[in-house]
Amino acid sequence: MTATTTPISRSITKSVLSKEQTEGVGARVRRSIGCPEIRNLDPFLLLSVPKNGGFPDHPHRDFETVTYMLDGQTHHKDFAGHKGTIGPEDLQWMTAGPQDGVVIKVIAGDSHRLKFQIYTHIPTMFLDFKMDMNQTVTQTILATYSGFIYILSGTAYIGDPKSETEAKAHHTLIFSEDSTSTVRIQTKDDTAHFVLIAGEPLREPVVQIGPFVMNTREEVYETYRNYRDGVNGFERRRARNSDGTPK
């Protein structure tokens, strides 16, 4: 008989409730990564869960953005004239795989023999879990990754049974940084819907001011000057509005 052992799960080092706040044009947003309690979580800078409303013209530089639409619709336009509409659960890359009582959508990375080959500038995994009551799932994560879970609805329990952390809706749960390469998630008398996001830390200086992310303050100030003057990547700003129409 071959003895089997249960993998040790990463534990939770911090649990933070994402409070609703006003941003943009009438938008109500729950800020997760990027709030004062979690300024950033290398390599992640920001996670926001918007409720409604919109956002005015704004620039970006030196980071990637991902929009994952759970329900409703959002319309996007940019200075280059590109525009589009994202509907419920829209994303360019997604693979869904069920197991008994658990549905996992692989947006980036891999889970339980499901893998999606999508290029990201840094190694990243982005998984969507929906779990029925009284279910347990163990997810493999590279030991070098930083990561977190954001609970969209319901209640889950994360970690080994003797030291598990209860996780309720709108909370961000940050994983311990150790050599453990699995995370155990369990539901009991409630269902749970959450996203698990993890990636390889950059381990470099990060200066984030407004919509710009660089390595030094001087680089950010230079980017603001570029944006103001419409140069070095912002040339189209001088000629067009974000809906693509001429100024």
Side-chain angles (χ1 to χ4, degrees), residues 1-7:
M1 179 180 295
T2 302
T4 59
T5 58
T6 301

Side-chain angles (χ1 to χ4, degrees), residues 152-213:
L152 294 160
S153 63
T155 305
Y157 298 83
I158 305 167
D160 291 321
K162 292 182 179 180
S163 59
E164 64 189 10
T165 298
E166 183 182 54
K168 291 184 174 293
H170 312 306
H171 280 75
T172 302
L173 293 304
I174 298 175
F175 299 144
S176 58
E177 293 189 10
D178 50 39
S179 59
T180 307
S181 58
T182 58
V183 174
R184 178 184 182 275
I185 306 108
Q186 180 183 12
T187 53
K188 297 181 181 179
D189 56 357
D190 195 2
T191 61
H193 182 196
F194 58 90
V195 290
L196 186 158
I197 302 174
E200 191 72 48
L202 295 174
R203 305 197 187 285
E204 62 182 37
V206 173
V207 177
Q208 179 181 356
I209 302 177
F212 300 128
V213 181

Side-chain angles (χ1 to χ4, degrees), residues 228-244:
R228 178 197 63 198
D229 299 336
V231 298
N232 197 19
F234 296 111
E235 288 81 3
R236 288 176 174 172
R237 174 182 177 273
R238 294 181 295 179
R240 290 182 175 272
N241 298 305
S242 63
D243 61 2

